[in-house]
Amino acid sequence: MKIAVCLKQVIKRDSTLRVDDARTWVRDADAEFEMNEPDAYALEEALRLKEQHGGEVIVVSAGPARVQTVLREGLARGADRALHVESDALAQADAFAIAGALAAAIGPEQVDLVLTGLQSDDQGFAQVGVVLAEKLGIAHATIIMEVKVEGGALRVKRELEGGWFQWVGLPLPALLTIQSGINTLRYATLKGIMAAKKKEIRRVDAPAGVAPRQKIVSLYFPEKTKQTRMITGSPADAARELVRVLREDARVF
Amino acid sequence: MILVIAEQKDGQVNRASWEAIVAAQQTAEPVVVVVAGQGSAAAAADLAAAQVTEVVAIDGPGLAQYTADGFTAAYAQVVAERQPAHVFIAHTYQTRDFAPKLAARLDRSILTDCTAVKAGTPLTFVRPMFQAKLAADVAIEGPAPHFVTFQIGSFKVDELAKGSAPAPVVAVSAAVDIVRQQPDAPFREARQAVDLTQAERIVSVGRGIKAPENIPLAKELADALQAELAASRPICDAGWLPMERQVGSSGQTVAPKLYLALGISGAIQHVVGMKGARTIVAINKDAEAPIFELADYGIAGDIFEVVPQVIAALKA
Ligand SMILES: Cc1cc2nc3c(=O)[nH]c(=O)nc-3n(C[C@H](O)[C@H](O)[C@H](O)COP(=O)(O)OP(=O)(O)OC[C@H]3O[C@@H](n4cnc5c(N)ncnc54)[C@H](O)[C@@H]3O)c2cc1C
Ligand SMILES: Nc1ncnc2c1ncn2[C@@H]1O[C@H](COP(=O)(O)O)[C@@H](O)[C@H]1O
């Protein structure tokens, strides 16, 4: 089975965010980056499917030169090769532009399966996978918690709201958006990291003349509307005061 | 005109869809509601109580059960016919599954997970970014219709304007040819041992707990408070606590007297599962964490410094 996995590079989770001078993006010149969390689970699922059914895993990312770090990480974990749609503009692009760029890289590969994460930690569109499936003309299913390959087709377990699930059958080729927690992640071994240095990262041109679909007019810290009582002081003082208010004011025990 | 796509199950319209109708009504544009699938006739009859100009119920072969292919084809037909300026939809799991496809099929823009509409021409929309640590005002570009999905809870159902008489209902039969997804009936995993919904007090741990070795610290606090232990999703994903202790949109919905969140950022998918708690306490080292927007009491501090002191104070 030939599988493409889309990996997005996002700002590290615990980073302190600052808005840039134009007030339309964060200052990311000196930021630290990491692989978008559900994408790591998508990669792991692809590697497991390859172990069971054979084939090839191709990792794909769209963005500036720096995104090669996540591609290298994917190769170190066991992907066979990588495609990089390189463009600085894709760092802040909307989901249609990103899906178009990914389609330009994945389309010619004629893969059996495309895996993406269900959502990115930065823009949080929850769109790129589904739009990519439409652009590639293949069937899709979202928020997937289990994947089985049966007789040349897929059976996947979709997560629904409030603890409900549903099995769905799909023909191949198909695209799945993967939910965090679908499997247990492996980490790169030293051997994997060494092997990754020899693997190919091929550059693909971004489609030209894609008009933006949406524009961030302003980016800001949300206004606080609730009056939270912040308890200050040393840890010991704050702890004593918290226990007092819970007993005497909130009366929760 | 704004077209609202409503979601129904067995003829029952979900709450989030009513919220999307409220969002549409508050723009002062005329509103048309469309609902698809088996049960859409019953749902349409309920929807007609809202102050809207028309309710469209689509049914036909291929629409008995929800599928992304079937519903995309059906809605594409209605959107193309009616030419709305905007299409509003609640940001549910079903919407995540078809709405980006629908917008892509019609080659139109879609803005997801919005929390507010800002008046003006054109309308701009507020949406969270970077896990709700930031918010953005976003303008949509390109030709209409523009698709917008709204985060659950962003509008209040009790602000729904009702019509003086029921709105006209139109039944449409859609021709859906190719449906590639073959869904089985939805199911729940077997009943679980822990029922967090009955707990009076809950101590919940998030990624701030750092490592499985630190879970006993949270357990000690829970014991001192006679509370149940719960967690955010990443903790259960990593297997540090069983899935049955997960709170949120894909876990349990709880309403204890006390919900004490340790190192939880307050992502919307977690918040929907615990915002009904009577008293919410958050301990988080990031004073800007979104959880403080919800908390009654907050300590901006390191859980590894504060929690042992809280345990000591409880035992004193
Ligand atoms: C479709 C979907 C469904 C989902 N369902 C759920 C669900 O049911 N439940 C759920 O919880 N999530 C769910 N999620 C995931 C959700 O979006 C968040 O990713 C998740 O809730 C974040 O968990 P967290 O707050 O523990 O981690 P993070 O967001 O990483 O936050 C960790 C927090 O810990 C703080 N911290 C770090 N170290 C310390 C310290 N030493 N002391 C004090 N504070 C510290 C940090 O400041 C940060 O605020 C879902 C996501 C999607 C897309
Ligand atoms: N620039 C990108 N490069 C590679 N994959 C991406 C990119 N942006 C989004 N994706 C994929 O699409 C998923 C959904 O992202 P989003 O629609 O932004 O929430 C992510 O989890 C990734 O798998």
Side-chain angles (χ1 to χ4, degrees):
Chain A
M1 197 143 74
K2 190 169 171 184
I3 308 171
V5 186
C6 298
L7 303 179
K8 186 173 196 183
Q9 189 189 44
V10 295
I11 289 188
K12 224 175 154 89
R13 206 172 295 109
D14 259 2
S15 309
T16 307
L17 299 175
R18 275 185 304 261
V19 177
D20 68 6
D21 292 337
R23 308 209 143 269
T24 53
W25 195 249
V26 292
R27 289 188 204 182
D28 59 5
D30 49 6
E32 283 187 72
F33 293 90
E34 65 186 353
M35 192 185 296
N36 187 47
E37 185 167 50
D39 305 4
Y41 287 97
L43 171 62
E44 177 63 39
E45 199 58 26
L47 295 172
R48 288 176 187 219
L49 288 169
K50 181 190 158 179
E51 280 158 12
Q52 287 167 32
H53 305 281
E56 186 185 18
V57 174
I58 309 166
V59 284
V60 189
S61 191
R66 59 170 162 78
V67 309
Q68 293 207 358
T69 313
V70 292
L71 291 174
R72 227 13 113 194
E73 196 181 325
L75 295 171
R77 290 194 197 177
D80 299 288
R81 59 192 171 91
L83 300 173
H84 176 200
V85 191
E86 187 173 348
S87 149
D88 288 347
L90 285 169
Q92 307 173 23
D94 58 53
F96 275 69
I98 295 171
L102 295 170
I106 296 170
E109 293 282 348
Q110 299 284 324
V111 298
D112 302 300
L113 183 62
V114 183
L115 301 184
T116 72
L118 81 167
Q119 189 167 321
S120 57
D121 276 353
D122 52 0
Q123 299 251 36
F125 294 127
Q127 289 181 32
V128 168
V130 179
V131 174
L132 177 58
E134 179 70 10
K135 285 187 188 277
L136 294 172
I138 60 179
H140 81 272
T142 52
I143 322 190
I144 298 307
M145 284 298 281
E146 203 174 325
V147 181
K148 291 185 192 165
V149 182
E150 287 173 1
L154 293 176
R155 292 248 316 147
V156 298
K157 186 176 164 190
R158 283 189 68 207
E159 182 181 300
L160 308 176
E161 278 123 339
W164 290 82
F165 297 91
Q166 176 178 46
W167 284 97
V168 179
L170 281 175
L172 290 169
L175 181 144
L176 305 175
T177 80
I178 301 294
Q179 169 67 298
S180 295
I182 183 176
N183 49 40
T184 308
L185 299 178
R186 79 187 69 187
Y187 290 94
T189 58
L190 191 59
K191 198 169 144 230
I193 295 167
M194 298 311 289
K197 294 198 170 132
K198 296 194 202 78
K199 293 179 182 169
E200 181 201 22
I201 299 182
R202 187 159 58 81
R203 296 247 299 267
V204 179
D205 288 333
V210 181
R213 301 274 176 134
Q214 43 195 254
K215 193 170 108 217
I216 298 177
V217 181
S218 79
L219 183 69
Y220 49 90
F221 285 92
E223 258 169 57
K224 297 257 183 286
T225 53
K226 175 149 179 177
Q227 290 297 318
T228 301
R229 189 169 151 217
M230 295 304 284
I231 301 174
T232 52
S234 71
D237 288 347
R240 263 194 304 274
E241 175 62 5
L242 176 65
V243 172
R244 188 193 68 76
V245 295
L246 290 181
R247 271 203 186 109
E248 294 172 16
D249 301 346
R251 296 169 185 267
V252 291
F253 56 89
Chain B
M1 183 263 281
I2 296 183
L3 184 73
V4 178
I5 295 180
E7 182 177 328
Q8 59 88 23
K9 197 176 164 216
D10 303 327
Q12 198 73 31
V13 178
N14 65 14
R15 195 178 168 81
S17 297
W18 291 108
E19 294 174 7
I21 295 172
V22 172
Q25 286 178 334
Q26 293 184 354
T27 64
E29 289 256 344
V31 180
V32 173
V33 184
V34 57
V35 61
Q38 206 166 51
S40 56
D46 285 348
L47 289 163
Q51 191 177 5
V52 296
T53 52
E54 189 183 351
V55 179
V56 182
I58 326 175
D59 211 341
L63 295 178
Q65 282 195 77
Y66 167 79
T67 60
D69 281 351
F71 276 45
T72 299
Y75 290 135
Q77 185 182 319
V78 174
V79 173
E81 272 167 23
R82 307 274 162 159
Q83 300 282 323
H86 289 91
V87 179
F88 282 9
I89 325 175
H91 192 62
T92 62
Y93 282 32
Q94 188 171 109
T95 299
R96 287 165 174 270
D97 198 55
F98 79 82
K101 181 181 176 72
L102 174 60
R105 172 79 49 91
L106 298 168
D107 198 22
R108 291 296 180 266
S109 313
I110 175 167
L111 202 58
T112 39
D113 204 22
C114 297
T115 53
V117 183
K118 287 203 169 166
T121 355
L123 297 174
T124 53
F125 300 89
V126 182
R127 69 184 297 273
M129 301 248 305
F130 295 93
Q131 304 261 291
K133 286 184 202 150
L134 293 169
D137 293 351
V138 186
I140 307 181
E141 316 215 305
H146 294 158
F147 290 77
V148 184
T149 77
F150 290 96
Q151 188 174 98
I152 294 164
S154 300
F155 289 84
K156 294 196 177 71
V157 177
D158 56 18
E159 289 175 12
L160 181 84
K162 298 232 170 93
S164 48
V169 175
V170 186
V172 174
S173 164
V176 175
D177 39 8
I178 302 166
V179 175
R180 292 165 294 187
Q181 297 87 0
Q182 292 177 311
D184 291 359
F187 66 96
R188 268 172 191 274
E189 302 287 10
R191 267 265 157 251
Q192 323 215 292
V194 204
D195 186 6
L196 296 176
T197 62
Q198 299 304 315
E200 288 217 347
R201 286 172 291 273
I202 290 177
V203 169
S204 194
V205 288
R207 190 145 34 199
I209 200 79
K210 295 267 175 342
E213 302 83 81
N214 300 324
I215 298 280
L217 176 67
K219 179 80 173 82
E220 197 185 335
L221 176 59
D223 289 345
L225 283 165
Q226 291 179 293
E228 282 285 355
L229 197 56
S232 67
R233 179 161 190 133
I235 302 305
C236 302
D237 285 348
W240 300 352
L241 281 173
M243 284 288 180
E244 58 192 20
R245 292 197 180 265
Q246 180 178 312
V247 169
S249 62
S250 46
Q252 301 204 39
T253 300
V254 299
K257 277 203 257 179
L258 171 68
Y259 191 90
L260 206 165
L262 302 177
I264 292 179
S265 63
I268 179 67
Q269 294 88 4
H270 186 79
V271 164
V272 294
M274 47 66 78
K275 63 172 194 277
R278 199 178 81 195
T279 300
I280 297 171
V281 179
I283 305 178
N284 193 305
K285 68 170 188 196
D286 175 9
E288 302 288 335
I291 189 81
F292 287 125
E293 178 60 20
L294 204 73
D296 300 287
Y297 300 101
I299 297 179
D302 187 327
I303 50 179
F304 300 109
E305 290 171 14
V306 177
V307 171
Q309 297 293 341
V310 177
I311 296 169
L314 283 166
K315 288 182 178 163

